[in-house]
Amino acid sequence: AACREGVVIGAFRFGIDCEGRPPPPGLSAMARFATLRSQALQLPYGDQAIFVRKDRFHGVGGFGDMPLMEDFDFVRRLRRAGMHASFKTGREHRVHILPLTALCSVRRWERKGVSTVSVTNQAMLLLHIYAGVSPNTLYRLYYGRSVR
């Protein structure tokens, strides 16, 4: 899929491995929303097992040296590079979401609750984008400790 004409980056659909247990309330809806977000906004996150060609990876500088938000930063830079290329070539450049699912562990959502994890994740994103809060500060807020 990453070799297809016009594909800047690819990812899998988002899913949760509940390890044979029933999902916590709201988790299935959150997983569907994550997949819709990645498709509609063309913005997959690292827990969707993003993939990209080596030349594109290095062309945008790879993953930034940051403890949090490195996947978001990387995808944004790739998208910008792809959109820039599309203005030059007139070709469509996009994020391709495969119809296969990458599974994440359910543990964090079980431990903290679906609403708490979802709100915290969105708050981190908004603080980073709109308030310019550094990934190191976000890490400290998220995990309650400084980066090692």
Side-chain angles (χ1 to χ4, degrees):
C3 295
R4 287 185 184 165
E5 180 68 29
V7 172
V8 175
I9 184 173
F12 293 82
R13 294 171 61 103
F14 178 79
I16 306 290
D17 179 3
C18 291
E19 302 165 2
R21 299 183 297 276
L27 188 62
S28 298
M30 189 280 305
R32 283 191 304 275
F33 177 77
T35 295
L36 287 173
R37 179 220 358 105
S38 66
Q39 291 171 332
L41 300 178
Q42 298 280 279
L43 191 60
Y45 297 158
D47 51 13
Q48 289 178 255
I50 56 178
F51 55 90
V52 64
R53 290 191 339 245
K54 182 179 178 179
D55 62 324
R56 291 216 184 241
F57 179 82
H58 291 295
V60 297
F63 288 113
D65 185 17
M66 54 185 70
L68 207 61
M69 307 294 287
E70 72 284 356
D71 54 345
F72 178 77
D73 173 71
F74 177 68
V75 171
R76 281 181 54 179
R77 285 185 286 120
L78 271 172
R79 286 179 57 202
R80 285 184 190 131
M83 288 179 194
H84 177 24
S86 68
F87 290 126
K88 288 166 65 175
T89 65
R91 295 187 189 133
E92 179 185 14
H93 288 66
R94 68 187 184 289
V95 175
H96 182 72
I97 307 298
L98 294 175
L100 304 170
T101 303
L103 296 175
C104 294
S105 172
V106 72
R107 292 182 307 244
R108 180 174 32 147
W109 286 282
E110 284 180 329
R111 193 173 58 250
K112 295 184 176 187
V114 175
S115 296
T116 299
V117 171
S118 296
V119 168
T120 301
N121 289 346
Q122 292 309 305
M124 296 291 121
L125 188 64
L126 294 172
L127 285 169
H128 182 62
I129 294 172
Y130 297 109
V133 176
S134 76
N136 287 347
T137 300
L138 292 174
Y139 183 94
R140 192 170 62 252
L141 291 170
Y142 193 83
Y143 291 106
R145 64 180 190 273
S146 295
V147 178
R148 296 176 202 191

